[in-house]
């Protein structure tokens, strides 16, 4: 975690194989790979993130 963002692991990430995605929610939603944090993150508008998560939940309950 860095001082600017409160990162948390996705509830769908499987901790046993270290293939995890971390998310920091705020004015923009930031997403990064836990194995490659040094490569940065992708930023999404909150509305796009909500739509993405909704679609995932509908597709794979």
């Amino acid at each position: 975690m860095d001082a600017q963002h409160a990162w948390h692991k996705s509830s769908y990430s499987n901790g046993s194989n270290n293939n995890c995605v971390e998310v920091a929610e705020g004015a923009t939603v930031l997403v990064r790979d836990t194995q490659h944090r040094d490569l940065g993150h992708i930023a999404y508008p909150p509305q796009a993130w909500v739509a993405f998560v909704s679609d995932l939940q509908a597709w794979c309950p």
Side-chain angles (χ1 to χ4, degrees), residues 2-61:
D2 60 43
Q4 294 178 338
H5 303 100
W7 292 95
H8 62 90
K9 286 188 180 178
S10 166
S11 60
Y12 289 99
S13 291
N14 182 352
S16 64
N17 60 11
N18 288 331
N19 293 327
C20 297
V21 173
E22 291 180 321
V23 178
E25 297 164 309
T28 57
V29 178
L30 308 177
V31 181
R32 68 182 179 187
D33 181 344
T34 57
Q35 290 185 339
H36 302 285
R37 290 180 180 131
D38 56 319
L39 296 178
H41 59 268
I42 300 171
Y44 296 95
Q47 304 86 340
W49 183 251
V50 169
F52 172 70
V53 171
S54 275
D55 286 349
L56 281 179
Q57 289 172 337
W59 186 65
C60 44

